[in-house]
Amino acid sequence: MSPSRPSAAVMLLAASVFTLAACVPLTPASDTPTNDREAVRAITTAESAAGGRAFQLEADDGAWEVHVGSGGREVEVRVSSDGGEVRSSTDGGTLDAEDRSALDAAGTTLADAVRIAAAQGTGGAVEEAELQRDGTATTWSIDLTGGVTVRVSATDGSVG
């Protein structure tokens, strides 16, 4: 082997490492939920763990608190800030009949409503989301940082 070959191999390896390092996203130092992907992941994680449909989400002390309707019960699921791990689950009691009816009638899921709200381009992170009834209309109310609230129809996903 010539002396230049090991140098070329070492240089190629170093270039690969630097290239890969440049592709790794920086993560914030805090453990605070910051975006819609994490919120959606927290919702789907909680729904899977509780066996139902989420109807409320809140960023709380570096984690997500997700309320899921499951078999006529409300289950409160605490999920990690990245949305991937259930930290705890608590039976919140009987789900209100009106809430259950609104949740059953909703054609748009909470996860879809968060995606729709994020697509509005406000740039705000999801802070809270919940199913709301106003007379005969049922909407998902998504609160984003900066005081922005996006209302998404639970029926058809339209923004209004």
Side-chain angles (χ1 to χ4, degrees):
M1 250 189 219
S2 71
S4 64
R5 283 207 183 264
S7 294
V10 168
M11 289 177 64
L12 181 59
L13 179 61
S16 297
V17 168
F18 289 128
T19 301
L20 288 173
C23 294
V24 175
L26 297 176
T27 56
S30 73
D31 193 28
T32 303
T34 57
N35 68 48
D36 59 294
R37 288 179 302 238
E38 292 166 342
V40 168
R41 187 173 181 205
I43 292 164
T44 57
T45 297
E47 287 176 334
S48 179
R53 287 185 67 190
F55 63 91
Q56 186 176 357
L57 167 81
E58 181 180 354
D60 181 42
D61 292 331
W64 296 103
E65 185 175 298
V66 185
H67 295 254
V68 179
S70 177
R73 308 288 292 171
E74 177 180 344
V75 181
E76 297 172 17
V77 183
R78 191 160 179 82
V79 181
S80 61
S81 64
D82 70 356
E85 179 184 344
V86 173
R87 292 189 175 164
S88 65
S89 181
T90 309
D91 184 343
T94 303
L95 185 61
D96 178 86
E98 288 183 26
D99 287 338
R100 179 82 234 164
S101 177
L103 187 57
D104 287 343
T108 304
T109 66
L110 177 55
D112 286 339
V114 167
R115 286 184 194 100
I116 292 166
Q120 296 305 300
T122 64
V126 177
E127 291 183 332
E128 188 173 338
E130 67 182 325
L131 187 62
Q132 294 184 334
R133 293 177 320 280
D134 183 20
T136 59
T138 304
T139 60
W140 293 107
S141 177
I142 317 296
D143 293 338
L144 307 173
T145 56
V148 176
T149 299
V150 179
R151 299 208 190 295
V152 177
S153 169
T155 305
D156 63 10
S158 61
V159 176

